[in-house]
Amino acid sequence: MKNRFTATALIASAAAAALLLTGCVAGENQPAAEAAASTDDAGIVTHGGTLNIDFATYNPLSLVIKEKGWLEDALADQDITVNWVQSAGSNKANEALRANAIDVGSTAGSAALLARSNDSPIQVIDIYSQPEWAALVVPEGSDITSVEDLKGKQIAATQGTDPYFFLLQSLEEAGLSLDDVTVQNLQHADGWAALQNGSVDAWAGLDPIMAGAEAAGAELAYRNVDFNSYGFLNATESFIAEKPDVAQTVVDVYEHARAWALANEEETAQILADVAGLDLAVATKVITERSNLGVDNVPGDAQIDVLTTIGPIFVETGDVLNQGKVDDALDTIVNDTFATKADPTIVE
């Protein structure tokens, strides 16, 4: 995946890294544009309380930030406690956001759109990656070598996550539908376990678990980078409205972490390996080949283009009531206020 980085993204990331290394300083149902304006004018400085934010092995930047304690340092003067909550998948992050158990959570773009289409009051405030993190996985030596071979088979997938939507897109491309297969709704790690014990024929996998599965002998029966959506950092609308200064700090720290991770791939891989329980070689593959941390961080047309393609699938499968709800979500899911103003030099 590394050779798929755009020149623009690489140049922007390199510039941010250079700044860091040289020490240079440079409301619910409310439309995104209006929300952006209100946060610009709020002049809010939050004191006290807790920031509830997730970390996830599919979001390497979250692991780096947690390991380094940069958020804690950035919010210390405001006496804000940082509470880290692990997300096992995009579906779990969305559940926590909807329940207000976290203020900021990381998901795939497809999962964020699904949640927003079903009235979850969230917006994407930063893009953390453009990964190739999903593929269709089969056991070593399987006679399944194409998507067409999945007809009549048992497939493990985590509904509401990118691998699940990867599966749906793959079936559609092959002229198949959900009626042609049996999907077992299992969390990502459980899906890999089911593939190992033979209770499913295939698994819609997610990195870094998928990379570990490859190292253990599993095979990727089908890959398509275009069926992977971006990594979204989402926040609840109430958090954005009430604590815009904290939201800005989160994005600033994320952009510092991006520049640091691009300049320190080996240590980033080691952090991922430690948290996910992976061999360093496997974690290195995830970071250097399949994560694309050098993507433009500002959410906008690139993400909407991908989600516009995925959105109708939600309606076809009955996951969203109608296309109108998807269209409304597409119109309101992006809040680029914080990413546009991001200052990666916030961390000294």
Side-chain angles (χ1 to χ4, degrees), residues 136 143-153 170-176 180-181 221-222:
L136 299 182
D143 58 1
I144 298 173
T145 59
S146 68
V147 179
E148 288 80 2
D149 294 334
L150 292 175
K151 187 172 183 178
K153 303 297 186 182
S170 301
L171 291 173
E172 183 178 53
E173 182 186 56
L176 301 176
D180 295 307
V181 300
Y222 183 67

Side-chain angles (χ1 to χ4, degrees), residues 237-252:
E237 288 187 334
S238 58
F239 173 72
I240 291 171
E242 296 166 10
K243 301 179 180 180
D245 59 318
V246 182
Q248 186 65 63
T249 298
V250 169
V251 174
D252 290 347

Side-chain angles (χ1 to χ4, degrees), residues 27-337:
E28 185 168 354
N29 297 326
Q30 184 181 23
E34 292 179 16
S38 65
T39 54
D40 277 344
D41 297 335
I44 295 171
V45 178
T46 303
H47 290 283
T50 301
L51 166 66
N52 295 300
I53 186 169
D54 83 340
F55 69 101
T57 57
Y58 54 85
N59 176 0
L61 296 185
S62 70
L63 306 183
V64 170
I65 294 168
K66 183 175 183 291
E67 170 71 19
K68 298 295 184 180
W70 289 329
L71 261 179
E72 288 82 352
D73 291 344
L75 294 171
D77 288 346
Q78 293 172 255
D79 196 27
I80 295 173
T81 300
V82 179
N83 177 43
W84 291 96
V85 178
Q86 184 166 13
S87 292
S90 293
N91 61 326
K92 296 301 182 183
N94 274 328
E95 288 172 9
L97 284 163
R98 185 183 283 273
N100 287 313
I102 56 175
D103 304 303
V104 181
S106 42
T107 74
S110 57
L113 179 64
L114 177 62
R116 181 83 190 186
S117 298
N118 285 315
D119 304 318
S120 181
I122 60 170
Q123 292 184 312
V124 53
I125 59 173
D126 202 36
I127 301 298
Y128 62 81
S129 68
Q130 185 191 14
E132 183 189 7
W133 54 15
L136 299 182
V137 188
V138 296
E140 185 176 12
S142 171
D143 58 1
I144 298 173
T145 59
S146 68
V147 179
E148 288 80 2
D149 294 334
L150 292 175
K151 187 172 183 178
K153 303 297 186 182
Q154 297 271 340
I155 308 168
T158 309
Q159 291 182 5
T161 70
D162 232 33
Y164 177 70
F165 300 119
F166 183 96
L167 170 63
L168 296 185
Q169 292 175 88
S170 301
L171 291 173
E172 183 178 53
E173 182 186 56
L176 301 176
S177 73
L178 283 175
D179 293 335
D180 295 307
V181 300
T182 300
V183 175
Q184 292 192 25
N185 183 23
L186 300 172
Q187 205 60 46
H188 301 299
D190 296 329
W192 166 224
L195 189 72
Q196 290 175 285
N197 66 32
S199 59
V200 297
D201 304 294
W203 165 51
L206 178 73
D207 271 338
I209 301 171
M210 185 171 69
E214 281 187 277
E219 300 172 357
L220 303 188
Y222 183 67
R223 299 170 68 178
N224 188 333
V225 67
D226 293 331
F227 287 174
N228 291 257
S229 65
Y230 290 76
F232 277 28
L233 189 69
N234 307 303
T236 63
E237 288 187 334
S238 58
F239 173 72
I240 291 171
E242 296 166 10
K243 301 179 180 180
D245 59 318
V246 182
Q248 186 65 63
T249 298
V250 169
V251 174
D252 290 347
V253 170
Y254 254 85
E255 291 318 301
H256 176 89
R258 183 193 310 280
W260 184 92
L262 288 168
N264 297 274
E265 287 185 332
E266 291 183 4
E267 189 173 347
T268 301
Q270 185 64 66
I271 292 171
L272 173 60
D274 292 342
V275 177
L278 297 172
D279 289 339
L280 181 57
V282 173
T284 299
K285 181 176 185 177
V286 171
I287 295 300
T288 62
E289 297 180 23
R290 298 213 291 238
S291 290
N292 190 1
L293 300 176
V295 67
D296 183 357
N297 73 296
V298 180
D301 289 345
Q303 290 74 41
I304 295 301
D305 287 347
V306 173
L307 296 183
T308 299
T309 300
I310 296 173
I313 296 175
F314 300 159
V315 181
E316 293 171 13
T317 58
D319 291 305
V320 176
L321 184 61
N322 56 56
Q323 185 61 38
K325 293 183 73 65
V326 173
D327 292 341
D328 288 344
L330 288 168
D331 288 342
T332 58
I333 195 169
V334 170
N335 187 328
D336 65 2
T337 308

Side-chain angles (χ1 to χ4, degrees), residues 332-348:
T332 58
I333 195 169
V334 170
N335 187 328
D336 65 2
T337 308
F338 308 102
T340 300
K341 300 192 301 182
D343 177 10
T345 66
I346 186 174
V347 179
E348 297 179 357

